[in-house]
């Protein structure tokens, strides 16, 4: 890699790594260490082909998705998530603590889904990709994406009914999302 390409790669990593890490955390079920490994491996692969990449972010995201698919196809993956310290809870209810609680609940609920279900929901609702793009990325049919999305949302509702309550708890507070008029959708708890 020449000096100009290396500078471009460093600039890309500096500007986009936090957004890419958020996606990796969601894909890995909230395991930040696994997400960091996932992102690091994706960036290493991208660095090797950097001069031939037209759309770097799309390319790195594609690597993230495919690596995660490879991970959940392996049978030896761990089922438990380890953390260094338990999350701390704020002293009083405010917008920040409510949003943090909602994120923790969502992350925990996503972690309890199967890796395939979690990946489909992240691609459909966090990345806001159409079903056809998700099908292409995962190498399956659009019908499979639809049925997996449907089953994943149903399981998410069953695993975390408190998400629905939290989303409608404080409609008058600044920044609060309106209460859903239909069943829960991950887009409502971003």
């Amino acid at each position: 890699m020449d000096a100009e390409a290396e500078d471009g790669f460093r600039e890309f990593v500096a500007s986009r790594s936090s957004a890419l890490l958020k996606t990796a955390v969601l894909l890995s079920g909230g395991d930040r260490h696994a997400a960091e490994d996932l992102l690091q491996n994706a960036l290493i692969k991208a660095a090797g082909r950097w001069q031939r990449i037209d759309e770097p972010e799309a390319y790195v995201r594609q690597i993230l998705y495919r690596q995660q698919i490879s991970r959940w196809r392996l049978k030896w993956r761990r089922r438990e998530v380890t953390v260094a310290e338990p999350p701390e809870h704020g002293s009083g209810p405010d917008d920040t603590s409510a949003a943090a609680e909602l994120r923790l609940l969502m992350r925990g609920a996503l972690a309890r889904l199967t890796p395939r279900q979690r990946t489909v929901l992240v691609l459909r609702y966090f990345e806001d990709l159409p079903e056809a793009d998700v099908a292409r990325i995962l190498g399956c049919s659009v019908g499979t994406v639809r049925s997996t999305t449907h089953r994943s949302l149903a399981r998410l509702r069953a695993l975390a009914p408190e998400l629905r309550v939290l989303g409608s708890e404080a409609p008058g507070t600044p920044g609060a999302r309106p209460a859903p008029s239909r069943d829960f959708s991950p887009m409502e708890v971003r």
Side-chain angles (χ1 to χ4, degrees):
M1 184 182 311
D2 65 4
E4 183 179 330
E6 188 174 331
D7 289 341
F9 180 73
R10 287 176 191 260
E11 182 179 315
F12 171 77
V13 170
S15 66
R16 299 305 305 153
S17 62
S18 64
L20 292 168
L21 182 59
K22 287 178 186 177
T23 300
V25 168
L26 289 172
L27 287 171
S28 64
D31 185 348
R32 185 167 177 92
H33 298 292
E36 289 170 350
D37 289 345
L38 189 66
L39 180 57
Q40 182 178 8
N41 290 335
L43 290 172
I44 289 169
K45 287 182 179 183
R49 300 183 50 94
W50 187 253
Q51 294 174 317
R52 296 180 296 249
I53 299 173
D54 293 330
E55 296 181 38
E57 185 160 354
Y59 187 82
V60 172
R61 286 181 186 275
Q62 183 84 6
I63 294 171
L64 285 172
Y65 305 141
R66 289 186 177 172
Q67 282 185 323
Q68 185 61 24
I69 289 168
S70 295
R71 284 185 179 185
W72 52 258
R73 284 184 177 153
L74 296 174
K75 298 293 181 192
W76 56 265
R77 70 176 185 85
R78 295 185 317 178
R79 294 223 178 249
E80 61 187 44
V81 177
T82 57
V83 294
E85 297 177 20
E88 294 181 20
H89 294 286
S91 59
D94 63 354
D95 290 342
T96 307
S97 66
E101 182 179 353
L102 186 58
R103 281 192 305 274
L104 287 173
L105 285 171
M106 186 62 165
R107 183 179 292 167
L110 284 172
R112 290 183 280 175
L113 295 175
T114 67
R116 183 177 187 96
Q117 290 173 329
R118 184 171 50 247
T119 301
V120 168
L121 290 182
V122 167
L123 291 172
R124 284 287 291 131
Y125 297 106
F126 181 76
E127 295 293 326
D128 201 24
L129 293 177
E131 292 168 338
D133 289 351
V134 175
R136 183 183 43 78
I137 289 169
L138 297 179
C140 62
S141 69
V142 172
T144 300
V145 171
R146 287 180 184 155
S147 63
T148 303
T149 302
H150 176 74
R151 283 192 309 273
S152 303
L153 289 174
R155 186 156 184 234
L156 195 62
R157 285 184 203 105
L159 290 172
E162 61 273 14
L163 288 173
R164 173 183 266 161
V165 173
L166 275 176
S168 61
E169 218 170 54
T173 58
R177 301 201 185 265
S181 59
R182 63 188 191 315
D183 287 335
F184 165 78
S185 168
M187 290 299 291
E188 295 163 351
V189 293
R190 262 195 192 169

